[in-house]
Amino acid sequence: MIFGSISYLNLLPFQLFLKHYVQHSGTKMALNYKRDVPSKINQALKKRQIHAGFISSIESPRYRCTNVGIIANKAVYSVFVIQGENKKDQESATSNHLAQILKLDGTVLIGDKALKYYLKGGRGIDLADVWYQKTHLPFVFARLCYNNHGEYIKKISRRFLKMPIKIPQYILKKEASARNISPKELKWYLQHINYQLNHQSQKSLKRFLKEVKKTKEMNKGLRNRK
């Protein structure tokens, strides 16, 4: 089985859990990893180069998905629109559309580079926070979806959601050093990430997808009038 994992800090707890689970669960399934940015993982699942992975929420309706996701309640500190030219982040799919439906102009910046930008004093508009102010709902950035090995994926998803999130100190220091941030900053950031899609999250996702569809139809209509 080939698993696609977003190469951002927000997935560190799941990556550690999955590694531990495969090593200690007695499973006979060989698990290989493909780590990349969200837009690339989306394409890999579409082309069946991977069997499962964290997919941008805007792409998730194409697949069977679990109740595990990457979710922010209010500010997330790693998805911004920064004042300047209108520019999409090529690593993103969902955040680019979120900026569009929120009618925010500027440069979209996501992931670890956005977090480091903020921690170094940079400022921008936090998209998850603006979404919450508008809807009073959390925002779902990605979901764990699959095109094969469904029972296995659902099993590890259920197990992950039952496990407390614990990051050993040596891993905390190693990951913080690799990203040029402090262990304290790493722990602080992860406190703003949730992984379970509850009723509010699912309601938010449906609303987002509906808004995206509406925006696409409006843009298509404008192009047809030209």
Side-chain angles (χ1 to χ4, degrees):
M1 174 183 167
I2 304 175
F3 188 91
S5 183
I6 298 171
S7 55
Y8 291 159
L9 179 58
N10 53 27
L11 264 189
L12 178 60
F14 185 85
Q15 291 165 349
L16 294 176
F17 160 79
L18 190 56
K19 182 178 180 180
H20 182 271
Y21 180 82
V22 171
Q23 288 177 342
H24 298 89
S25 66
T27 179
K28 296 180 181 180
M29 181 177 291
L31 186 62
N32 297 306
Y33 297 92
K34 177 180 175 63
R35 293 191 181 187
D36 216 320
V37 298
S39 58
K40 297 294 186 181
I41 295 297
N42 293 345
Q43 288 298 313
L45 190 66
K46 183 178 181 180
K47 295 177 181 178
R48 303 188 75 85
Q49 295 169 344
I50 59 175
H51 300 117
F54 280 83
I55 302 302
S56 299
S57 60
I58 195 169
E59 297 290 333
S60 64
R62 298 172 179 263
Y63 307 101
R64 292 164 288 175
C65 300
T66 70
N67 283 330
V68 173
I70 300 174
I71 304 151
N73 189 20
K74 301 183 181 179
V76 70
Y77 302 102
S78 60
V79 181
F80 294 105
V81 166
I82 300 168
Q83 186 176 12
E85 66 173 313
N86 286 343
K87 186 178 179 181
K88 295 179 179 180
D89 191 314
Q90 296 304 309
E91 298 180 3
S92 167
T94 292
S95 299
N96 291 329
H97 283 279
L98 179 57
Q100 186 178 21
I101 66 175
L102 291 174
K103 296 180 172 60
L104 296 173
D105 294 329
T107 298
V108 178
L109 190 68
I110 75 165
D112 291 0
K113 63 184 183 295
L115 174 63
K116 289 172 68 174
Y117 167 83
Y118 174 81
L119 293 175
K120 289 180 179 180
R123 291 296 177 265
I125 301 171
D126 191 306
L127 293 183
D129 190 41
V130 176
W131 176 260
Y132 181 84
Q133 298 304 322
K134 178 181 178 180
T135 66
H136 298 289
L137 294 169
F139 189 78
V140 182
F141 285 98
R143 295 186 69 185
L144 176 54
C145 303
Y146 56 92
N147 57 33
N148 207 335
H149 304 291
E151 291 304 314
Y152 181 73
I153 294 299
K154 288 187 285 186
K155 181 178 180 180
I156 62 175
S157 298
R158 291 192 295 266
R159 185 67 62 88
F160 172 68
L161 293 175
K162 291 179 180 179
M163 297 286 288
I165 294 176
K166 294 181 180 180
I167 303 176
Q169 281 297 316
Y170 78 95
I171 293 180
L172 191 67
K173 292 178 180 179
K174 177 183 176 182
E175 294 292 335
S177 176
R179 290 170 169 82
N180 196 27
I181 63 176
S182 71
K184 183 178 180 180
E185 289 170 333
L186 189 157
K187 289 181 68 176
W188 168 83
Y189 170 65
L190 289 179
Q191 290 173 2
H192 298 90
I193 308 294
N194 297 317
Y195 298 98
Q196 183 167 14
L197 269 80
N198 57 20
H199 174 71
Q200 289 292 92
S201 301
Q202 292 171 347
K203 181 179 178 181
S204 177
L205 179 58
K206 289 179 181 178
R207 179 164 178 174
F208 169 67
L209 294 173
K210 183 177 180 180
E211 292 283 349
V212 169
K213 183 178 180 181
K214 186 194 305 182
T215 300
K216 287 182 177 180
E217 289 173 348
M218 287 176 58
N219 290 338
K220 183 178 179 180
L222 289 173
R223 287 195 299 269
N224 291 338
R225 293 193 194 104
K226 292 181 180 180

